[in-house]
Amino acid sequence: SVDDATYTIELTQAWKGDPPGSVDVLTAVAGASCGWEGIEEGMEIILFAQADGAAWRSSLCDGSGPVTDDLAEALTAA
């Protein structure tokens, strides 16, 4: 899919840089294109993203997804 979905994400913690509050994140609509399949409103996620104009771009293939204790600990240790 070449279509994008836009999610507004409230950032609460940053492992690199300062969290700017909320950001718009673009991702492919379809999970087959690494879109955020399974990400739902209210879910706590870890976001890996790159700047894309005024928004940010991310995908499940970049590592973004639901928070796990192991991943949070690894990021904090790094």
Side-chain angles (χ1 to χ4, degrees), residues 15 24 43 48 51 53 63 66-67 76:
W15 282 277
D24 289 332
M43 189 178 248
F48 293 96
V67 172
T76 300

Side-chain angles (χ1 to χ4, degrees), residues 2 8 13 22 27 36 39 48 67 77:
V2 295
T8 300
Q13 181 178 357
S22 65
T27 188
W36 280 5
I39 302 294
F48 293 96
V67 172

Side-chain angles (χ1 to χ4, degrees), residues 31-52:
S33 298
C34 291
W36 280 5
E37 192 171 79
I39 302 294
E40 299 175 9
E41 186 173 345
M43 189 178 248
E44 186 175 357
I45 66 167
I46 291 181
L47 172 66
F48 293 96
Q50 302 82 34
D52 186 1

Side-chain angles (χ1 to χ4, degrees), residues 1 3 10 14 18 33 35 46 48 50 54 57 60 62-63 66 68 78:
S1 164
D3 295 329
E10 182 69 32
D18 295 322
S33 298
I46 291 181
F48 293 96
Q50 302 82 34
R57 180 164 297 280
L60 291 178
D62 291 338
T68 66

